[in-house]
Amino acid sequence: MIGRLNHVAIAVKDLDAATAVYRDTLGAKVTEPLPQPEHGVTVVFVELPNSKVELMSPLGENSTIQGFVDKNPAGGIHHVCYEVEDIIAARDQMKAAGARVLGTGEPRIGAHGKPVIFLHPKDFLGTLVELEQV
Amino acid sequence: MIGRLNHVAIAVKDLDAATAVYRDTLGAKVTEPLPQPEHGVTVVFVELPNSKVELMSPLGENSTIQGFVDKNPAGGIHHVCYEVEDIIAARDQMKAAGARVLGTGEPRIGAHGKPVIFLHPKDFLGTLVELEQV
């Protein structure tokens, strides 16, 4: 079912410093920071030939990643995102397999304007997994 | 400098159970387990259209990932691997930028039979980074 590895998301406190690591030290192409207040994050996309790394820092007072960066002050991988063709079918398949879908269980519109669900890390090898319909 | 996202590596205690999560729940194509005694791991490759996930479990008594799986019994993302054209040039660029190369600093032959280096997580946003010459 899952298709492409859409992105690896790394959450950090200091987005400028994180961008410099990927742009200057690793020599990758990076975008300008994109505030996404509806998701409580500011994002920089690291554009690799076959996939993306997304650098995220908390935005606003109720960011969903604030707890993560407090616990991981040096930063850390927050989630991985795989593409699916049909988010409802994917959601139903996850539930049928006994895997936990976070939140209400209904897809919501993700950071790329497409429907997404998030899956519980304890059911996916300690990894927060996002599924995105493309 | 960095090119493709070669793989995301997830370390687990129970490779069969982890393989079932990716094969059965997520519906991905997976390979047979490949013991790599020289690296102290057994690996299953999850083949995605644009990249790979590598599921790894400890093999032997001195596996370099034993400590990681002891600390993360549910599993977790162990490292990400980016491709580079010239591992020596990449190593020198990392050192010039003040980033720490693990081990002796000399490339060694990695799990795919190609020269690799590993970079210190504290210099790369809390993420263990492998660079692989392709």
Side-chain angles (χ1 to χ4, degrees):
Chain A
M1 184 190 63
I2 56 170
R4 295 175 73 258
L5 174 59
N6 185 277
H7 63 270
V8 174
I10 298 176
V12 298
K13 279 200 166 167
D14 183 337
L15 191 57
D16 288 343
T19 303
V21 167
Y22 269 82
R23 182 190 59 217
D24 302 336
T25 306
L26 290 171
K29 185 178 173 192
V30 301
T31 65
E32 291 296 311
L34 178 67
Q36 302 192 309
E38 69 279 23
H39 296 290
V41 294
T42 303
V43 178
V44 164
F45 298 96
V46 179
E47 298 173 347
L48 303 176
N50 64 326
S51 192
K52 289 193 297 281
V53 174
E54 295 189 9
L55 308 175
M56 313 185 298
S57 62
L59 176 64
E61 294 188 357
N62 297 304
S63 173
T64 54
I65 67 167
Q66 187 65 55
F68 183 91
V69 299
D70 288 344
K71 270 185 234 162
N72 301 277
I77 294 178
H78 183 266
H79 67 267
V80 293
C81 176
Y82 302 119
E83 298 178 358
V84 297
E85 288 188 5
D86 181 333
I87 197 72
I88 297 294
R91 188 269 315 267
D92 291 346
Q93 184 171 329
M94 294 306 108
K95 285 189 166 178
R100 284 164 281 184
V101 177
L102 298 185
T104 63
E106 291 306 309
R108 58 186 186 78
I109 298 303
H112 307 141
K114 294 171 179 172
V116 303
I117 58 173
F118 281 88
L119 305 174
H120 200 300
K122 292 209 171 159
D123 295 333
F124 292 90
L125 318 178
T127 305
L128 178 60
V129 172
E130 179 180 17
L131 298 181
E132 178 178 291
Q133 180 174 302
V134 292
Chain B
M1 185 190 64
I2 55 170
R4 296 174 74 257
L5 174 59
N6 185 277
H7 64 268
V8 174
I10 299 176
V12 297
K13 279 200 166 167
D14 183 338
L15 191 57
D16 288 343
T19 302
V21 167
Y22 270 81
R23 181 190 59 218
D24 302 335
T25 306
L26 291 171
K29 185 179 173 192
V30 302
T31 65
E32 291 297 310
L34 179 66
Q36 302 192 310
E38 69 279 22
H39 296 290
V41 294
T42 302
V43 179
V44 163
F45 298 96
V46 179
E47 298 174 346
L48 303 176
N50 64 326
S51 193
K52 289 192 297 281
V53 174
E54 296 189 8
L55 307 175
M56 312 185 300
S57 63
L59 175 64
E61 292 189 358
N62 298 303
S63 173
T64 54
I65 67 168
Q66 187 66 55
F68 182 92
V69 299
D70 287 344
K71 271 186 234 160
N72 301 277
I77 294 178
H78 182 266
H79 67 267
V80 293
C81 176
Y82 303 119
E83 298 178 358
V84 298
E85 288 188 6
D86 181 332
I87 197 72
I88 297 295
R91 188 269 317 267
D92 292 346
Q93 184 172 329
M94 293 306 107
K95 285 188 167 181
R100 284 164 282 185
V101 177
L102 297 186
T104 63
E106 291 305 309
R108 58 184 184 78
I109 298 302
H112 307 141
K114 295 172 179 171
V116 303
I117 58 173
F118 281 88
L119 306 174
H120 200 301
K122 292 211 170 156
D123 295 331
F124 292 90
L125 318 179
T127 305
L128 178 60
V129 172
E130 180 180 18
L131 298 182
E132 178 177 291
Q133 179 174 301
V134 292

